[in-house]
Amino acid sequence: METLTKILFFLFYQIMAVELSTSINIKEPRWDQSTFEGRAKHFFTVTDPRNILLSNEQLESAHKIITDYRKGVVSPGLSEDELWRAKYIFDSAFHPDTGEKMILIGRMSAQVPMNMTITGCMMTFYKTTPAVVMWQWINQSFNAIVNYTNRSGDAPLTVSQLGTAYVSATTGAVATALGLNALTKHVSPLFGRFVPFAAVAAANCINIPLMRQRELKHGIPITDENDNRLGESTQAAQQAISQVVVSRILMASPGMAIPPFLMNHLEKKAFLRKFPWMSAPIQVGLVGFCLVFATPLCCALFPQKSSMSVSRLEPELQEKIRASHPGVERVFFNKGL
């Protein structure tokens, strides 16, 4: 019996000691990205707020595991689950095109805590002009950082381009908010609560295209299905940016549309009449609850590795691809976030 136990233990040890295969495709997400469910699972992991608490040592460890694995070197004792965990830590902190470590508050894992705080305050302090200006400015400053951090492609933006996008989006958001506030003075107070959402939607339509204007002018990298670079396309950039604008507006919708109804009801109750200072934290909490689900689900609306038919590209790019890669019918690109 003792001999059998030793044999089983030896076999178990040998099995556990088998080196992890180097054939796992970590260039792609763990789940099938052709389905909404697979993309949702992927983005629930990417936007996990706990990732912003990771130390530099943990980020560098994940970076080393993934970099080594891509070279065919497997860390001793590494399991498949540990590999995927390292990949998602790596993806949460390093830009997919440039490889640079992203600004902390610009990472997708910071979206929920940052947006719940800013959005909750925008929706609480929306009645006075100074409050509107301040919170719209803070929101657009944050959006500018997020849009720059999660841009598509590997071409840098100039200071002039960044400044133009930032000033234009902030001006557009503030002007929209103040204009709508003036129009809602003679209607139900409930409508006034939706002014921040209208301002945010308008600002997204301004901020994202301007922040990514270089992509619209010069194009973003496009590849075949095997990641062979085929050129840069402005048509692909237009599709990528329009998808991001739609996702961002829908991402903000639940957190800015549901809490106003609830707060309009709660503020008539005795509790908030007695403790009005609780209005802000309650609203921030409601927005946060909505964003925990809205952020990953709206990111999942469109595939991160988007694609389009070669026939929809610029004519000169179509000719170049058909001459050098005659079998390619679709091209792929990172749409950004």
Side-chain angles (χ1 to χ4, degrees):
M1 186 66 181
E2 184 178 349
T3 303
L4 179 60
T5 302
K6 288 181 179 179
I7 293 173
L8 290 173
F9 180 80
F10 176 77
L11 291 174
F12 176 77
Y13 178 80
Q14 290 297 108
I15 291 170
M16 293 301 292
V18 172
E19 190 174 85
L20 185 67
S21 168
T22 57
S23 63
I24 299 171
N25 184 11
I26 59 169
K27 289 183 179 180
E28 302 296 333
R30 188 171 192 175
W31 298 279
D32 182 5
Q33 297 299 284
S34 66
T35 67
F36 177 76
E37 180 183 358
R39 295 196 296 272
K41 288 179 179 179
H42 168 70
F43 280 109
F44 267 107
T45 306
V46 170
T47 62
D48 187 342
R50 292 174 297 180
N51 286 339
I52 62 174
L53 302 176
L54 296 172
S55 66
N56 283 328
E57 290 75 16
Q58 289 172 302
L59 295 180
E60 292 304 325
S61 174
H63 186 281
K64 184 178 186 306
I65 289 172
I66 297 304
T67 303
D68 287 348
Y69 189 83
R70 286 173 176 172
K71 296 176 182 176
V73 178
V74 180
S75 301
L78 185 71
S79 69
E80 184 173 349
D81 284 341
E82 289 171 337
L83 174 66
W84 283 111
R85 174 60 181 156
K87 173 200 162 43
Y88 276 102
I89 290 175
F90 176 88
D91 287 350
S92 76
F94 297 92
H95 192 278
D97 293 325
T98 66
E100 66 184 13
K101 186 182 290 186
M102 295 184 286
I103 303 166
L104 180 63
I105 64 172
R107 299 173 193 171
M108 292 308 294
S109 51
Q111 285 287 291
V112 172
M114 291 298 297
N115 269 326
M116 68 182 281
T117 303
I118 296 172
T119 303
C121 290
M122 275 198 302
M123 295 173 66
T124 301
F125 310 111
Y126 66 92
K127 294 181 180 179
T128 66
T129 298
V132 168
V133 172
M134 183 182 77
W135 284 106
Q136 289 295 339
W137 169 71
I138 290 173
N139 186 51
Q140 290 315 311
S141 298
F142 172 63
N143 281 345
I145 293 171
V146 172
N147 293 336
Y148 173 75
T149 304
N150 295 282
R151 67 198 182 281
S152 174
D154 49 17
L157 287 169
T158 66
V159 174
S160 175
Q161 290 169 331
L162 285 170
T164 299
Y166 174 66
V167 171
S168 300
T170 303
T171 302
V174 171
T176 302
L178 293 178
L180 290 175
N181 265 349
L183 293 174
T184 56
K185 287 181 179 178
H186 305 292
V187 296
S188 167
L190 179 60
F191 286 98
R193 293 181 181 274
F194 289 94
V195 168
F197 174 58
V200 167
N204 274 323
C205 294
I206 300 169
N207 191 320
I208 296 172
L210 282 173
M211 189 61 67
R212 297 174 60 175
Q213 61 185 289
R214 194 187 187 289
E215 299 172 34
L216 292 170
K217 185 177 181 180
H218 299 288
I220 58 176
I222 57 171
T223 67
D224 62 16
E225 61 182 356
N226 297 316
D227 290 329
N228 297 310
R229 191 158 176 165
L230 304 175
E232 289 76 36
S233 169
T234 56
Q235 291 295 319
Q238 290 175 22
Q239 177 174 306
I241 291 169
S242 63
Q243 289 177 346
V244 171
V245 170
V246 171
S247 294
R248 290 285 187 85
I249 292 174
L250 292 177
M251 191 186 299
S253 299
M256 301 190 83
I258 298 172
F261 288 104
L262 296 175
M263 292 306 298
N264 197 56
H265 175 73
L266 291 174
E267 286 179 358
K268 296 174 183 177
K269 300 298 182 181
F271 178 76
L272 283 183
R273 287 183 182 276
K274 185 176 181 180
F275 304 103
W277 59 271
M278 284 293 295
S279 180
I282 289 175
Q283 187 135 254
V284 168
L286 289 172
V287 171
F289 178 79
C290 293
L291 285 173
V292 165
F293 298 96
T295 300
L297 292 177
C298 289
C299 283
L301 289 175
F302 305 103
Q304 181 66 32
K305 186 177 181 180
S306 196
S307 69
M308 65 191 307
S309 170
V310 171
S311 62
R312 292 180 55 200
L313 298 172
E314 303 89 307
E316 62 275 14
L317 189 54
Q318 290 185 40
E319 292 178 12
K320 175 184 173 183
I321 292 173
R322 284 174 178 148
S324 59
H325 298 80
V328 174
E329 295 296 330
R330 295 194 72 79
V331 294
F332 300 84
F333 50 92
N334 170 29
K335 72 174 178 64
L337 289 171

